[in-house]
Amino acid sequence: MTRGLRKGLTSYGDDGFSLFLRKAFIKAMGYSDDALDRPIVGITNTYSDYNPCHGNVPQLVDAVKRGVMLAGAMPMVFPTISIHESFAHPTSMFLRNLMAMDTEEMIRAQPMDAVVVIGGCDKTLPAQIMAVASVDLPTVVVPDGPMVVGHHKGEVLGACTDCRRLWSAHRAGEIDAAEIDVVNGRLAPSVGTCMVMGTASTMACVIEAMGLSLPMSGTIPAPHAERIRLAEASGRRAAEIAVSGGPKPGDLLTPAAFRNAAVVLQAIGGSTNGVVHLAAIASRTPHAFSLDELDEIGRQAPVLVDLKPSGQHYMEHFHHAGGVPKLLAHLGDLIDLDAPTVAGGTLRDAVAAAEDVPGQDVIRSRDKPIKAVGSMAVLYGNLAPRGAIIKQAAASPALLQHTGRAVVFENVADMGARIDDPNLDVTADDVLVLRNTGPKGAPGMPEAGYLPIPKKLGRQGVKDMVRISDARMSGTAFGTIVLHITPESAVGGPLALVRTGDLIRLDVAARRIDLLIDAAEMAARQSAWDAQPPQPVPERGYARLYHESVTQADEGCDFAFMARRPGE
């Protein structure tokens, strides 16, 4: 087997010359022949001044390099795109596939026998897993970890669930401009990802449960020394699998792993974004991520982790309670503990080593859950023929069965212009509808599904109402919100046919979301629907590629040509 610098030689028509030239240039960096003759571990560098979630990546890179060298291999660091939620226009999801392509092609293009991918902020870990699933090179995943909690007036704060809660209070006039400015400086007190069960924490925990990272990788706080030691251990392991040749992602991303991922997603009160990302990762394998199986699991696997936004605690508390290994122990027969891991054993080994923390109340047993059912449910109905998602664990129980009058917003700009209009015809019993916010329609399926409560209702004390869209929602958000309605309105999905004043019925128990008009009226509206795209078709570049190739939410919003065909 070809290893090290001899892998993937640049094509000059003479392999001997290709290797000679490669070594000549790399020696300009000061490397010795001894170093260059060793197995190579590539290490992605996703640090960026625009990405505070990845602020500790330089330390992690150094620690991974140390681990690789201690195990006798050669570390080689290379940069890739870095995406931060708050600094990505028009949305981070729009750029996820670009990061996946960048990471995949750089792994393919450069000689390495194994790779360590380091990521954290919401779309970075999914992009990296999509990439390594496609390349299938031995891989260790190192999440960069959650930030520590903040404090304000004796209250523990966490980005970004408390960002949303306190901003809503500010909109309602309960917090003045001076105080919200003080809060702004206390919500994110350190580098790292959001310390609630948002998308970043969700994916870190799910990836650990799928066996792609070492035990406890999903929960160690970003500033802790333990995170650096974990990175060193990941480097050591990467050096070992660079020599042994495995396990590879294809050995770990099995049907059992995807089912385990779905169980953990439900049990942690995970982000709805995790559904889209797992579908995208599965599309890069011979397997599928089934919405129906996710819903079935949600009926069996209760929420066991008491974390915001579904509970009360934060990621550092989850970590100190035993992290993902302890959660897997409590999940028992819902988890396939014989699933292999990159550490070399199985999940059973991680569970056997799980710490028992007396008196902890963050990770509950199945007979004392936070919520009796899983984090999310899958809805169908005449508004969502291919499915929609609701995070029932973060919804208001009284609204889970609700019929209300539709108040329709055509797009994000329309919502922004009218949502706070004091003359807006809206009541707390109405259903807010936002369309043209799906993969193609926005574009990029933004996290606009968390429609704000109209200001005049907020000032009346309204905290929640039913909101539906073809958009996504941050995992840090809460409320009775139906998301990912598929097909999206921009391609003629039924959401495009809703009119203000129509009645919409949400029935989570029956797994339904329906527009209450008869079939004939629905057909007539469909015939009259204007097929013009809500946004001009991009003329060039990545935006054009995205528009022409992106799939719907149930397929992961990946590019259709990147999916692995059956039998491949």
Side-chain angles (χ1 to χ4, degrees):
M1 181 183 294
T2 304
R3 295 192 184 278
L5 286 187
R6 291 168 175 79
K7 293 188 69 172
L9 290 170
T10 306
S11 180
Y12 293 110
D14 180 339
D15 285 353
F17 175 72
S18 296
L19 180 60
F20 170 78
L21 199 61
R22 176 173 283 179
K23 293 183 73 172
F25 276 106
I26 201 66
K27 283 182 177 180
M29 300 281 282
Y31 293 118
S32 66
D33 284 321
D34 180 34
L36 297 175
D37 285 341
R38 293 174 183 269
I40 295 175
V41 174
I43 305 167
T44 63
N45 182 1
T46 57
Y47 178 79
S48 165
D49 284 346
Y50 288 107
N51 197 339
C53 291
H54 290 199
N56 62 335
V57 164
Q59 289 177 291
L60 298 180
V61 167
D62 286 345
V64 172
K65 289 174 66 176
R66 184 168 65 247
V68 170
M69 287 189 287
L70 285 170
M74 183 65 195
M76 300 289 281
V77 181
F78 62 98
T80 70
I81 290 170
S82 183
I83 305 170
H84 187 272
E85 279 299 300
S86 300
F87 286 89
H89 176 80
T91 171
S92 59
M93 181 61 93
F94 179 73
L95 296 170
R96 183 201 64 182
N97 296 350
L98 182 61
M99 183 177 181
M101 294 175 76
D102 175 28
T103 305
E104 175 179 347
E105 295 308 322
M106 289 301 96
I107 293 172
R108 290 188 189 279
Q110 300 168 137
M112 60 191 79
D113 302 299
V115 62
V116 176
V117 295
I118 304 174
C121 195
D122 294 13
K123 307 307 174 292
T124 60
L125 283 173
Q128 291 172 324
I129 307 307
M130 292 161 67
V132 300
S134 297
V135 179
D136 206 28
L137 188 76
T139 302
V140 181
V141 181
V142 178
D144 59 31
M147 64 180 79
V148 294
V149 298
H151 298 83
H152 177 65
K153 292 186 173 180
E155 180 186 4
V156 177
L157 296 183
C160 207
T161 297
D162 295 315
C163 308
R164 299 175 190 281
R165 176 177 62 84
L166 295 170
W167 183 254
S168 295
H170 173 59
R171 279 173 49 83
E174 298 168 12
I175 294 177
D176 64 21
E179 184 173 355
I180 200 67
D181 190 51
V182 171
V183 167
N184 185 256
R186 296 177 177 177
L187 283 161
S190 77
V191 297
T193 58
C194 290
M195 70 288 268
V196 297
M197 193 51 74
T199 305
S201 296
T202 295
M203 293 310 300
C205 292
V206 163
I207 286 165
E208 182 180 336
M210 296 177 85
L212 296 167
S213 58
L214 299 187
M216 303 302 290
S217 291
T219 56
I220 303 168
H224 283 202
E226 187 181 357
R227 173 64 59 183
I228 298 174
R229 291 193 293 271
L230 183 282
E232 181 185 301
S234 297
R236 278 182 172 273
R237 183 56 184 155
E240 294 168 358
I241 61 178
V243 174
S244 66
K248 298 178 180 179
D251 301 320
L252 304 176
L253 293 171
T254 64
F258 282 109
R259 183 173 176 85
N260 285 344
V263 172
V264 169
L265 184 64
Q266 295 283 21
I268 60 179
S271 167
T272 50
N273 284 311
V275 180
V276 178
H277 296 320
L278 284 167
I281 293 167
S283 78
R284 302 297 185 95
T285 76
H287 316 299
F289 185 74
S290 165
L291 291 181
D292 291 339
E293 184 176 50
L294 175 69
D295 189 71
E296 171 220 330
I297 288 169
R299 298 172 189 268
Q300 305 170 40
V303 178
L304 299 185
V305 179
D306 188 3
L307 239 70
K308 288 191 174 185
S310 300
Q312 295 302 314
H313 296 290
Y314 297 87
M315 283 297 292
E316 63 189 75
H317 306 131
F318 181 24
H319 177 66
H320 295 309
V324 172
K326 194 62 179 178
L327 170 65
L328 298 180
H330 281 303
L331 285 167
D333 61 2
L334 293 174
I335 291 289
D336 184 345
L337 293 177
D338 293 321
T341 76
V342 74
T346 66
L347 290 179
R348 195 176 302 280
D349 300 316
V351 168
E355 183 178 0
D356 186 19
V357 182
Q360 69 84 17
D361 63 351
V362 182
I363 308 171
R364 304 291 184 87
S365 60
R366 285 168 65 182
D367 60 348
K368 295 180 181 178
I370 303 301
K371 309 280 184 179
V373 294
S375 172
M376 60 195 73
V378 179
L379 310 176
Y380 293 97
N382 69 0
L383 270 180
R386 284 167 53 183
I389 300 291
I390 184 169
K391 189 171 182 179
Q392 57 185 344
S396 299
L399 292 175
L400 293 177
Q401 280 76 39
H402 181 79
T403 299
R405 185 183 64 116
V407 177
V408 180
F409 300 98
E410 284 298 321
N411 49 43
V412 173
D414 181 38
M415 178 185 70
R418 295 196 293 127
I419 193 75
D420 289 336
D421 185 342
N423 295 316
L424 180 67
D425 181 13
V426 64
T427 72
D429 291 329
D430 291 335
V431 175
L432 302 183
V433 177
L434 176 63
R435 59 183 170 218
N436 293 315
T437 49
K440 289 182 183 288
M445 205 181 181
E447 290 185 344
Y450 184 72
L451 285 74
I453 302 297
K455 187 173 287 187
K456 71 177 185 180
L457 297 183
R459 288 175 172 169
Q460 295 169 19
V462 176
K463 303 295 185 185
D464 193 15
M465 54 194 301
V466 176
R467 291 158 273 179
I468 71 173
S469 74
D470 45 14
R472 297 178 298 111
M473 174 178 83
S474 169
T476 64
F478 51 88
T480 310
I481 301 173
V482 178
L483 305 153
H484 310 181
I485 288 181
T486 309
E488 64 175 303
S489 54
V491 299
L495 195 65
L497 311 180
V498 181
R499 298 174 180 171
T500 293
D502 289 341
L503 291 180
I504 292 175
R505 181 173 59 219
L506 169 65
D507 188 343
V508 175
R511 300 301 196 261
R512 300 283 303 186
I513 180 75
D514 289 291
L515 178 62
L516 300 184
I517 62 174
D518 61 35
E521 174 65 14
M522 181 78 88
R525 293 186 188 184
Q526 188 74 66
S527 297
W529 178 70
D530 183 359
Q532 293 299 313
Q535 300 282 347
V537 175
E539 293 184 359
R540 60 184 297 278
Y542 177 73
R544 181 65 175 262
L545 175 66
Y546 184 94
H547 177 82
E548 292 179 347
S549 304
V550 71
T551 61
Q552 291 292 291
D554 60 332
E555 298 171 319
C557 299
D558 197 4
F559 291 155
F561 59 82
M562 298 299 286
R564 182 174 294 184
R565 304 295 186 268
E568 290 183 351

